[in-house]
Amino acid sequence: MSTREPVLSVRGLGVRFRMRGGAYVTAVTDAHFELAPGECLALVGESGCGKSVLASALLGLLPRNAETNGSAVLGGLDLLAADERTLARTVRGRRIGLVPQSPAAHLTPVRTIRSQLRETVRELTAVRGPGLDPAVGAAARRAAFPADHLNRYPHELSGGLAQRACTALALIGDAPLLLADEPTTGLDRDLVDHTVDELARHIGADRAMLLITHDLAAAERIADRIAVMYAGRILELTEKQAFFGDAGPCHPYARGLLDALPERAFTPIPPKVLEGARHA
């Protein structure tokens, strides 16, 4: 890990939702981690464990009945304390580039990819006039999106190309943090490898990536560290080599998650381990 100032520092982040009648449902509890320049941290766990809620908290995209605590500092700004105006104007796209879980839902269906790239270039950069179309072409090439598909609409794209379009949009602002939320959902194995390799190319000296995924193979391919989440808590945070190495993870749930992979023991996680993880 780098000894430089972290790109993102999360301390005690918690999220709960106020339900009708005044009861609360807790989704994330006391999350702690840092993300260094040039690093990819993979936040892994089963569906419903709180990974995407944590991502939404960083972006300020939680519903109105959500309450947060703790801090998440990016470039001197506490994302959890920032108001909507600040998040919309200075964070989304500029400080955090989002590669969403569902490209089809993220892309505007009635506009071509070229049109959506042009709008984002105008919004996030100083490029105007004659330089706009070359900038759009450069943005497409950066995400390996084919130029001959720029005039197509989202419904005319394959899942992989839609993902590349979203990646191109996420990279335009050169945000220091790339947040990839389940970027490989629904893709076959070869396309998963290709997608995560493309994302990894954009981690640089001043940029880092938080990869949120249930796909441990994707995490092993590009992450530097692994954070394991269950029932809203980060149970283990370790170097990739230690997690996937012979010794394996320390926490019983993390070991169970790894052993459940088809290429490993393919053993279901015992209920007692799940219950222990819930109360860890």
Side-chain angles (χ1 to χ4, degrees):
M1 276 186 59
S2 170
T3 58
R4 297 168 56 193
E5 188 76 15
V7 171
L8 176 69
S9 179
V10 172
R11 292 286 178 268
L13 189 155
V15 181
R16 64 178 187 170
F17 298 96
R18 185 179 179 87
M19 312 306 289
R20 290 181 179 178
Y24 284 92
V25 173
T26 299
V28 179
T29 302
D30 198 29
H32 290 263
F33 62 89
E34 288 188 345
L35 195 51
E39 180 186 29
C40 175
L41 172 65
L43 182 61
V44 305
E46 300 168 83
S47 297
C49 71
K51 304 185 304 295
S52 292
V53 172
L54 188 152
S56 295
L58 297 179
L59 289 161
L61 294 176
L62 293 169
R64 291 184 178 181
N65 66 327
E67 297 180 6
T68 61
N69 56 66
S71 65
V73 178
L74 173 66
L77 175 69
D78 186 351
L79 301 172
L80 303 186
D83 58 31
E84 172 58 25
R85 181 184 177 90
T86 299
L87 291 167
R89 294 197 172 191
T90 70
V91 174
R92 300 180 197 129
R94 291 177 171 84
R95 298 195 192 190
I96 302 178
L98 173 65
V99 181
Q101 182 172 355
S102 175
H106 190 72
L107 296 168
T108 304
V110 295
R111 297 176 59 191
T112 65
I113 302 304
R114 183 186 303 277
S115 172
Q116 295 180 61
L117 287 172
R118 282 172 62 91
E119 179 183 39
T120 305
V121 169
R122 280 197 302 263
E123 179 68 22
L124 299 183
T125 75
V127 177
R128 299 290 187 276
L132 196 55
D133 283 335
V136 166
R141 288 192 297 274
R142 194 174 179 187
F145 186 87
D148 59 357
H149 285 53
L150 281 170
N151 291 326
R152 295 191 180 186
Y153 292 88
H155 73 273
E156 298 178 300
L157 303 178
S158 66
L161 285 178
Q163 191 67 60
R164 291 189 208 177
C166 286
T167 301
L169 290 166
L171 295 172
I172 285 172
D174 282 323
L177 176 61
L178 186 63
L179 200 165
D181 185 9
E182 300 284 8
T184 61
T185 298
L187 304 182
D188 62 43
R189 190 74 255 162
D190 288 343
L191 196 51
V192 165
D193 292 345
H194 183 77
T195 298
V196 295
D197 286 348
E198 284 188 353
L199 291 172
R201 288 194 298 110
H202 303 290
I203 303 170
D206 299 312
R207 295 196 298 270
M209 179 165 69
L210 178 61
L211 171 65
I212 295 176
T213 185
H214 64 273
D215 188 338
L216 288 176
E220 183 177 16
R221 190 173 182 90
I222 66 168
D224 298 291
R225 290 187 299 152
I226 308 292
V228 179
M229 197 169 195
Y230 178 77
R233 293 182 179 271
I234 295 178
L235 302 178
E236 182 157 355
L237 177 59
T238 187
E239 299 294 325
K240 176 179 70 175
Q241 291 80 1
F243 185 86
F244 290 104
D246 292 337
C250 295
H251 195 282
Y253 171 75
R255 290 199 301 272
L257 192 67
L258 198 55
D259 287 340
L261 292 175
E263 61 269 25
R264 292 189 178 239
F266 205 26
T267 304
I269 303 173
K272 65 180 180 179
V273 173
L274 294 175
E275 187 62 24
R278 185 178 297 277
H279 297 290

